[in-house]
Amino acid sequence: MEYKNLGRIGLRVSRLCLGTMNFGWQTSEKESFALMDKALEMGINFFDTANVYGWKLGKGLTEQIIGRWLAQGGGRRDKIVLATKAYNKMGEGPNDMRLSAYHIRKACEGSLRRLRTDVIDLYQMHHVDRSTPWEEIWQAMEQLVREGKVLYVGSSNFAGWQIAQAQCEAQRRFFMGLVSEQSLYNLATRTIELEVIPACREYGLGLLPWSPMEGGLLSGALRKAKEGRRSEERTMNLIRKTGAGLKNTSPCARS
């Protein structure tokens, strides 16, 4: 396995990151455990999740599964870089989502509890919050870092100018700010090449592509699927829309 620094920081992560969005939803707990064991065996030390994964309001099912896997011991926690996210709705209250200082603290405590760990290695903002000022967001993140509950902060689904805005405010506060950006990026969706990737290069952020196979579109999409992400209506619509192009694309070009 090849390991690289995550952007400008000293943390080294495997070039492949284990995404866990399907754990507890498409993938059973037993299968999820087997996947994490295999990933660790292959040298993958970077595991990514989010508090909303599992898609049952407020439950954090995927984080719970990862927490139970970590609780088995055997040095599992010390062998991985653990990343999770906050922003999306985790309850029915008016402050149970977005990036207010109130919600960031509450969401972090919930993730730590479900993951059965003392620290989140990479805590990512799942989306930008246009209704919360950066001084509030960074104050909350700085507090979590001081308390040892978070090591690094990252973003997800940010535009290039939002990365610049976040970093300028962090620099003003003498805070490290963002160390990574997680964006939708694959051969079918390349929009981030316009501004997000240049912003990441300028500010030294590691880039974490999500949905590299476009939800299965670029991985055997033309074969019929009755289950899994390739069977979803969104993916099937993409197949119908781009099917001709896929048929004329060689497997090597799509890998």
Side-chain angles (χ1 to χ4, degrees):
M1 180 59 62
E2 184 180 356
Y3 300 90
K4 301 286 287 186
N5 284 55
L6 183 60
R8 70 189 186 281
I9 65 174
L11 183 69
R12 294 183 68 79
V13 295
S14 51
R15 289 295 298 267
L16 295 178
C17 176
L18 179 65
T20 63
M21 189 181 74
N22 290 334
F23 290 6
W25 174 47
Q26 300 278 6
T27 309
S28 70
E29 182 162 325
K30 181 179 179 180
E31 292 171 326
S32 300
F33 275 34
L35 284 169
M36 287 186 279
D37 286 338
K38 187 63 177 179
L40 204 58
E41 177 187 329
M42 295 177 65
I44 296 174
N45 76 337
F46 197 9
F47 288 18
D48 177 67
T49 190
N51 59 1
V52 292
Y53 291 170
W55 314 114
K56 289 191 177 181
L57 183 63
K59 299 296 184 182
L61 294 181
T62 302
E63 287 187 332
Q64 289 188 43
I65 289 173
I66 295 171
R68 287 191 286 271
W69 179 79
L70 291 172
Q72 294 177 105
R76 284 175 170 80
R77 182 63 186 93
D78 293 333
K79 294 176 182 177
I80 67 169
V81 173
L82 182 59
T84 192
K85 310 181 194 74
Y87 171 91
N88 287 303
K89 188 175 181 180
M90 288 296 286
E92 298 294 350
N95 291 306
D96 287 335
M97 65 181 298
R98 299 189 181 276
L99 296 175
S100 67
Y102 179 97
H103 181 62
I104 287 173
R105 170 167 287 278
K106 186 176 181 181
C108 182
E109 296 288 354
S111 289
L112 289 169
R113 183 176 61 255
R114 288 186 292 270
L115 291 167
R116 304 191 188 191
T117 186
D118 296 325
V119 60
I120 295 166
D121 299 319
L122 177 62
Y123 200 38
Q124 301 160 103
M125 294 170 272
H126 214 153
H127 298 279
V128 70
D129 185 354
R130 297 174 179 84
S131 64
T132 304
W134 273 110
E135 56 263 36
E136 178 181 355
I137 294 171
W138 283 136
Q139 177 179 279
M141 292 298 187
E142 288 166 8
Q143 183 65 25
L144 293 176
V145 171
R146 279 195 297 269
E147 293 174 357
K149 295 174 180 177
V150 167
L151 290 183
Y152 304 101
V153 181
S155 60
S156 182
N157 302 304
F158 276 33
W161 72 269
Q162 290 161 343
I163 290 172
Q165 187 181 45
Q167 292 305 82
C168 287
E169 178 62 25
Q171 289 169 3
R172 191 182 69 82
R173 300 175 66 90
F174 301 100
F175 187 59
M176 181 182 293
L178 302 174
V179 303
S180 63
E181 158 62 19
Q182 188 169 160
S183 292
L184 174 62
Y185 188 39
N186 54 60
L187 290 176
T189 306
R190 302 173 62 178
T191 309
I192 68 167
E193 292 176 359
L194 296 174
E195 295 186 1
V196 173
I197 290 179
C200 288
R201 286 176 175 154
E202 176 67 23
Y203 291 102
L205 274 62
L207 179 64
L208 313 176
W210 63 263
S211 198
M213 293 291 104
E214 188 64 274
L217 180 68
L218 302 174
S219 178
L222 299 182
R223 296 194 298 269
K224 295 289 185 179
K226 296 182 179 179
E227 58 185 18
R229 294 189 67 193
R230 285 193 289 117
S231 66
E232 293 177 9
E233 182 178 354
R234 171 183 174 275
T235 304
M236 296 307 297
N237 287 337
L238 283 170
I239 291 170
R240 285 190 285 270
K241 181 179 178 181
T242 60
L246 289 174
K247 290 177 182 177
N248 294 324
T249 304
S250 69
C252 289
R254 290 186 277 115
S255 63

